[in-house]
């Protein structure tokens, strides 16, 4: 929506009436290729079948670091300008997340705190936005804690559980839930931060908590 400026009638979120500059990041080049790249652009053999419509794609710059990877994509905005989306990785380190002035950043999977704060800083000058999509498998990290325990009008947590995935039949959802180890079920299926890698026993939190 933001890259093209083509917002649906039901959209009630942030709107840009000009071309924008965004970054989208993930853990490493492989995960970015297989998640963000595939979702937004489609497979390498059929670009333009992802969320960004083919008619709006002006140019796709290939990545030099991974086969079939993408470094950036240039998108036609309805204003007549050209939006740009650049793909980044967390393993590049904080320094590679510096300097740019951006309208928005999308973190796919939870970033290290220093990468997250650099992403925030990139949007300060524009009053831009930052959002993250992930399952909280790292537990109550500093990044997660800011959203769940620190009240701020500038932050919001949207929680989606497996029960919201209505395209999956109820019996199949039950099978999926049962397939996970007990100590991962709440994180995997409800978005509740896992207790953490430091705990000794693989037990679900509700089994050891007092009501």
């Amino acid at each position: 929506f933001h890259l093209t400026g083509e917002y649906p009638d039901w959209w009630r979120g942030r709107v840009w009436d000009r071309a924008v500059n965004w970054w989208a990041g993930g853990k490493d080049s492989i995960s970015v290729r297989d998640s963000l790249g595939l979702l937004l652009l489609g497979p390498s053999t059929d670009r333009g079948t992802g969320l960004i419509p083919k008619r709006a794609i002006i140019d796709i710059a290939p990545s030099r670091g991974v086969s079939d990877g993408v470094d950036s994509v240039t998108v036609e905005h309805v204003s007549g300008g050209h939006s740009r989306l650049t793909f980044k990785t967390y393993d590049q380190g904080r320094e590679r997340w510096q300097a740019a002035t951006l309208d928005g950043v999308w973190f796919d999977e939870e970033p290290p705190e220093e990468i997250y704060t650099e992403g925030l800083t990139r949007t300060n000058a524009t009053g831009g936005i930052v959002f993250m999509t992930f399952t909280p498998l790292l537990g109550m990290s500093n990044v997660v804690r800011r959203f769940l325990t620190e009240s701020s009008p500038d932050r919001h947590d949207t929680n989606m559980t497996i029960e919201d995935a209505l395209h999956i039949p109820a019996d199949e959802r039950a099978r999926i839930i049962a397939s996970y180890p007990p100590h991962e079920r709440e994180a995997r299926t409800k978005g509740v931060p896992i207790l953490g890698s430091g705990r000794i026993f693989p037990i679900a939190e509700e089994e050891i908590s007092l009501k």
Side-chain angles (χ1 to χ4, degrees):
F1 296 168
H2 301 313
L3 293 173
T4 64
E6 298 177 2
Y7 297 95
D9 293 338
W10 52 262
W11 181 255
R12 296 294 179 268
R14 180 75 177 274
V15 170
W16 274 271
D17 60 4
R18 58 167 175 79
V20 295
N21 187 20
W22 275 67
W23 281 358
K27 181 179 179 181
D28 52 44
S29 298
I30 299 297
S31 60
V32 167
R33 180 195 66 186
D34 295 343
S35 59
L36 289 167
L38 184 63
L39 181 63
L40 293 173
L41 300 172
S44 60
T45 55
D46 198 12
R47 295 301 194 197
T49 56
L51 292 175
I52 303 174
K54 186 173 185 178
R55 55 180 165 74
I57 297 176
I58 297 172
D59 180 66
I60 297 176
S63 170
R64 298 178 180 178
V66 61
S67 175
D68 295 329
V70 174
D71 179 74
S72 65
V73 56
T74 304
V75 179
E76 184 175 3
H77 192 274
V78 294
S79 66
H82 293 170
S83 294
R84 183 179 178 86
L85 173 68
T86 301
F87 294 97
K88 307 286 285 186
T89 63
Y90 307 155
D91 63 4
Q92 290 176 310
R94 182 180 62 82
E95 290 78 10
R96 295 293 295 274
W97 285 76
Q98 295 177 337
T101 298
L102 304 172
D103 295 298
V105 178
W106 173 16
F107 292 110
D108 182 46
E109 299 306 337
E110 183 179 351
E113 185 178 19
E114 62 178 11
I115 300 292
Y116 170 67
T117 56
E118 281 297 337
L120 286 177
T121 304
R122 304 283 67 78
T123 63
N124 284 345
T126 64
I129 60 176
V130 173
F131 62 86
M132 300 181 286
T133 50
F134 65 89
T135 300
L137 297 178
L138 300 181
M140 191 61 79
S141 65
N142 288 338
V143 173
V144 170
R145 186 177 294 108
R146 296 192 68 184
F147 283 83
L148 298 186
T149 67
E150 298 180 13
S151 178
S152 170
D154 293 328
R155 287 191 295 273
H156 173 74
D157 168 56
T158 297
N159 178 265
M160 181 177 177
T161 76
I162 194 172
E163 300 304 333
D164 293 307
L166 300 181
H167 61 288
I168 303 176
D171 58 343
E172 181 67 7
R173 295 200 297 270
R175 185 196 66 78
I176 292 173
I177 293 171
S179 71
Y180 291 119
H183 63 290
E184 287 189 6
R185 283 177 191 160
E186 287 207 327
R188 297 271 187 193
T189 65
K190 297 180 182 179
V192 177
I194 200 167
L195 285 184
S197 60
R199 82 176 181 189
I200 301 173
F201 304 105
I203 302 171
E205 184 174 9
E206 67 268 16
E207 295 182 19
I208 58 175
S209 299
L210 296 176
K211 302 296 184 182

